């Protein structure tokens, strides 16, 4: 699976933070190069892959209120 390959790439690079998407795309390219006729996903695993990417890419951001200045 792409997730497993992306995880292996992350491990091989020393567990860097903030590069999940880059590792995911590298894994997709490697998979496509190895067998272009095969889709990158398994038919029943798409929802799991989507959930994984959401967890990897989403991080809570603090709310910052903008102050409006009127002149």
């Amino acid at each position: 699976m792409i997730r497993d390959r992306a995880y292996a790439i992350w491990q091989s690079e020393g567990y860097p933070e903030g590069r999940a998407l880059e590792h995911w795309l590298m894994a997709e390219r490697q998979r496509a190069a190895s067998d272009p006729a095969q889709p990158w996903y398994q038919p029943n695993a798409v929802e799991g892959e989507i959930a994984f990417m959401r967890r990897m890419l989403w991080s809570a951001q603090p709310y910052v209120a903008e102050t409006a200045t009127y002149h």
Side-chain angles (χ1 to χ4, degrees):
M1 292 175 75
I2 298 298
R3 176 179 34 191
D4 298 331
R5 182 64 193 134
Y7 184 76
I9 293 168
W10 176 67
Q11 287 179 316
S12 72
E13 292 187 2
Y15 309 96
E17 291 188 30
R19 296 182 52 207
L21 181 58
E22 180 182 344
H23 294 144
W24 186 272
L25 296 174
M26 287 171 63
E28 280 186 342
R29 284 193 298 273
Q30 290 174 2
R31 175 70 173 104
S34 68
D35 187 2
Q38 183 70 21
W40 64 266
Y41 59 89
Q42 294 179 354
N44 297 327
V46 175
E47 292 81 16
E49 300 293 344
I50 291 169
F52 172 77
M53 287 305 295
R54 284 186 180 141
R55 282 193 310 274
M56 294 299 291
L57 297 175
W58 184 85
S59 62
Q61 299 295 319
Y63 175 75
V64 177
E66 294 184 25
T67 57
T69 56
Y70 298 99
H71 297 280

